Amino acid sequence: MKNYKKSIDKIVLALISTCILACSSDKKPLNPEGNKELDLSIMIPPGGNSWVINSIEQDAVLIHDSGIHNWTALDDIIRIYFHTKLTGELHLGLNIKSETGPSTIKVTVGNTTKNVAVDNTTYKNVEIGRFDITKSGYNFIEIQGLQKKGEYIGDINKILIGGPATASGISFVPEEFSFHFGRRGPSVHLTYKMPENKDVIYFYNEITVPQGEDVVGSYFMANGFGEGYFGIQVNSDTERRILFSVWSPFVTDDPSTIPDDYKVILLGKGEGVTDGSFGGEGSGGQSYKVFDWKSENTYKFLLKGEPSVNNSTDYTAYFYAPEESEWKLIASFRRPHTNTYLKRFHSFLENFSTHTGFISRKGKYTNQWVYDTQDQWHELTTAKFTADATARNKARLDYAGGVKGNSFYMRNCGFFDENTTMNIEFSRTSNGIKPNIDFSSLPNLGSQQN
């Protein structure tokens, strides 16, 4: 019996030893939260998907195409946005370093926050953990510094995610897409259905920006036409503009290369209007008036276009503010090598600031009319909704447009979940009240007329 017991004891010891050897030979790293390795197979480039949400100035310092750098302030709040089709568990890691001394950061997804120590001085994949995604659509990862011993909190090279919440795919601005346009967000457009067989000489439109939607970087473009555009902008916290531009027929992004006979000529401008040229997205003549327009006020836009001398067309823009109760001349330009009345009427909403692409903005576009060469007004009540390449390539999905009563509306940026099918047509309720404008009393071009 004693020999039998000894044999059993030897077998048990052998099994225990085998288990210890098997466990110690497993080469997979252990996650701090359990014995299953995190799935970090998806890389989100922070350069195209991150913002410092509490400071536009710091956003310009921290967010670069190559990642998040120069991070020194503990009160900077950084958000990385992504879109999921599913809810469920999200696995998260960061490719990060803290080369000037150990630091501690906090990482939040949804209602869960984890504090993470970073002490590696070269880039390393650091597992953050598991989080619950409780809604499909846009979600964000929020990162903030808690402690630092060196000058910098850390540098983040990559955002790494995976897990069940990503099983049906996710959307974000990919590396192969322009981070500049991805961070600006999608632009949205309305193209108005025109009366057939009419030569149109005037185009009238109205815009109201709801309270809180007048975000820095917004261009609420009212009167777009085949050769230019006219609308209002939010240029900074302290400056707003009325902007009117006409493209040159010479296609270039550098206005200095336009031959003299293709240059857009200024015929005249209103009081306080600055004129010049523009480039970067085509080139041509530009004018703007600094004007502190307000949300909730309705502003009126009137554009005139008609053939002129020597195979040219003259375009003139007028602006009506309720604060001033009269039509003001913005500018008049002559476009060479062009002989046409107004055509291709459209409006758009865009964000031209990469630092505010995480903030939603919205505009109401109301009461569109055109006036033809037979002295007849025609109301425009149907428009097709489209969006730019950022939306078409699914780099950003936060774009929308539609109708509410007698107004069209457009909305973009801000990572809202609902979006609108592109190329769909909308029809608004007709107002039936023609604009009451005495064309003969509109301000003339003054002493700068050519």
Side-chain angles (χ1 to χ4, degrees):
M1 178 66 83
K2 289 182 179 180
N3 291 335
Y4 177 74
K5 185 177 179 182
K6 287 181 179 179
S7 297
I8 293 296
D9 290 343
K10 288 180 180 179
I11 292 171
V12 171
L13 287 171
L15 288 171
I16 292 172
S17 298
T18 301
C19 180
I20 291 172
L21 285 170
C23 292
S24 64
S25 65
D26 185 1
K27 294 181 180 179
K28 292 185 178 180
L30 296 183
N31 176 289
E33 301 175 343
N35 59 2
K36 288 187 178 179
E37 187 179 13
L38 294 183
D39 170 17
L40 302 178
S41 57
I42 300 171
M43 192 279 287
I44 298 177
N49 299 277
S50 306
W51 285 263
V52 180
I53 64 165
N54 59 328
S55 172
I56 290 178
E57 292 75 19
Q58 282 296 93
D59 185 86
V61 173
L62 267 66
I63 310 302
H64 305 263
D65 282 358
S66 57
I68 299 168
H69 310 303
N70 307 315
W71 184 18
T72 62
L74 294 175
D75 57 354
D76 289 338
I77 301 173
I78 303 166
R79 283 186 181 175
I80 302 97
Y81 289 86
F82 60 98
H83 186 282
T84 67
K85 296 179 181 179
L86 300 176
T87 58
E89 189 176 83
L90 179 79
H91 299 176
L92 174 61
L94 300 175
N95 186 259
I96 188 172
K97 68 177 179 179
S98 181
E99 59 186 355
T100 61
S103 62
T104 303
I105 64 173
K106 67 175 182 178
V107 182
T108 302
V109 179
N111 296 321
T112 303
T113 297
K114 300 180 187 296
N115 296 341
V116 181
V118 183
D119 57 9
N120 47 294
T121 58
T122 58
Y123 282 118
K124 176 183 175 182
N125 289 348
V126 176
E127 294 184 344
I128 306 302
R130 293 174 167 80
F131 299 83
D132 287 328
I133 298 295
T134 58
K135 76 170 189 69
S136 59
Y138 272 112
N139 290 274
F140 59 82
I141 301 157
E142 186 171 285
I143 304 174
Q144 187 173 0
L146 286 178
Q147 296 177 333
K148 63 172 185 173
K149 289 193 176 179
E151 181 181 0
Y152 296 99
I153 298 166
D155 275 17
I156 300 175
N157 191 38
K158 299 174 184 177
I159 312 297
L160 305 169
I161 67 171
T166 68
S168 290
I170 65 170
S171 293
F172 52 84
V173 180
E175 281 192 301
E176 60 270 19
F177 194 80
S178 163
F179 287 172
H180 172 78
F181 286 103
R183 277 171 45 84
R184 276 175 44 166
S187 298
V188 285
H189 329 108
L190 292 172
T191 302
Y192 302 107
K193 187 174 182 180
M194 300 299 301
E196 295 181 358
N197 302 317
K198 303 292 182 183
D199 289 328
V200 172
I201 192 169
Y202 285 101
F203 174 27
Y204 173 90
N205 202 353
E206 298 176 7
I207 286 182
T208 308
V209 180
Q211 186 174 0
E213 303 289 349
D214 48 343
V215 179
V216 171
S218 301
Y219 184 15
F220 300 92
M221 200 283 292
N223 289 27
F225 54 105
E227 295 75 37
Y229 44 83
F230 175 30
I232 50 177
Q233 296 179 318
V234 186
N235 299 86
S236 72
D237 288 330
T238 58
E239 183 177 305
R240 299 177 179 218
R241 294 179 180 180
I242 307 158
L243 182 74
F244 172 49
S245 300
V246 176
W247 281 302
S248 165
F250 185 83
V251 180
T252 177
D253 287 338
D254 181 0
S256 67
T257 65
I258 300 174
D260 287 345
D261 64 326
Y262 278 82
K263 289 180 178 177
V264 173
I265 301 167
L266 177 71
L267 300 178
K269 62 180 181 178
E271 183 180 353
V273 173
T274 299
D275 67 280
S277 60
F278 72 95
E281 294 180 335
S283 297
Q286 185 179 85
S287 61
Y288 68 87
K289 179 181 176 68
V290 175
F291 180 77
D292 191 26
W293 58 269
K294 307 292 185 184
S295 63
E296 296 295 335
N297 282 356
T298 297
Y299 296 94
K300 302 175 182 180
F301 303 80
L302 182 67
L303 176 72
K304 182 181 182 182
E306 60 182 342
S308 187
V309 298
N310 300 322
N311 189 34
S312 66
T313 298
D314 293 348
Y315 299 96
T316 307
Y318 303 93
F319 179 75
Y320 186 99
E323 298 93 329
E324 299 183 343
S325 300
E326 63 178 349
W327 285 101
K328 299 283 189 179
L329 171 68
I330 301 302
S332 184
F333 289 107
R334 177 166 293 163
R335 187 179 197 260
H337 300 281
T338 309
N339 188 284
T340 183
Y341 288 96
L342 295 175
K343 59 182 184 293
R344 299 207 305 271
F345 299 124
H346 60 281
S347 301
F348 64 68
L349 171 58
E350 76 170 12
N351 169 38
F352 55 85
S353 170
T354 59
H355 308 303
T356 63
F358 67 97
I359 307 173
S360 175
R361 71 273 335 260
K362 182 179 182 180
K364 290 170 57 181
Y365 297 73
T366 306
N367 206 25
Q368 296 81 20
W369 290 79
V370 294
Y371 186 84
D372 67 23
T373 54
Q374 302 301 311
D375 300 327
Q376 296 296 314
W377 282 105
H378 306 272
E379 189 171 8
L380 310 181
T381 59
T382 300
K384 183 170 74 171
F385 174 80
T386 56
D388 69 353
T390 304
R392 294 194 303 272
N393 286 283
K394 302 186 185 303
R396 293 281 292 266
L397 305 176
D398 44 348
Y399 55 88
V403 173
K404 188 172 183 180
N406 62 355
S407 296
F408 298 108
Y409 72 85
M410 288 186 282
R411 183 185 181 198
N412 66 349
C413 303
F415 298 102
F416 53 87
D417 290 333
E418 70 278 8
N419 59 32
T420 301
T421 302
M422 284 180 267
N423 299 313
I424 192 171
E425 281 196 348
F426 298 107
S427 292
R428 65 171 177 84
T429 302
S430 172
N431 294 321
I433 303 174
K434 302 172 186 177
N436 183 19
I437 301 174
D438 179 2
F439 298 123
S440 65
S441 68
L442 291 172
N444 59 41
L445 303 183
S447 60
Q448 297 188 49
Q449 176 94 34
N450 284 356

